[in-house]
Amino acid sequence: MSSISKQDYINSIEESASIISSEIGPEVIDSVFQRYGAHGAEDLDPADLPDVFSELYAIEADLR
C-alpha cells in the first residue's frame, strides 16, 4: 500500500460514499462494496482500498 494510510482511505471512501448516497442513493455504494465482497469501508480488504476509493471518487466527480 502507498504512503496513504488505511484509515485515510477509509475516511475518504466514507466521505465519497456519503456524497454519492445523498445525491443518487445508497444502491450505487452497495454495488461497489458488493463487487469487493464487503458491506462497508471497514469490511474491505486493505489491498482493495485504493481501487474502491478510485471508483467512488470517479462516481463523485461525475456528479459535479
Side-chain angles (χ1 to χ4, degrees):
M1 196 182 283
S2 68
S3 63
I4 299 174
S5 76
K6 175 182 175 182
Q7 192 58 50
D8 288 339
Y9 270 119
I10 289 172
N11 291 342
S12 295
I13 287 168
E14 289 175 344
E15 184 177 329
S16 288
S18 176
I19 292 166
I20 294 165
S21 186
S22 70
E23 292 288 325
I24 56 177
E27 300 82 14
V28 174
I29 305 308
D30 293 342
S31 169
V32 172
F33 287 148
Q34 285 175 2
R35 280 198 301 280
Y36 291 90
H39 298 287
E42 295 286 341
D43 294 339
L44 290 164
D45 183 313
D48 292 331
L49 291 172
D51 293 335
V52 173
F53 169 71
S54 294
E55 193 169 336
L56 292 177
Y57 186 77
I59 294 168
E60 179 187 347
D62 285 345
L63 296 175
R64 297 180 187 170

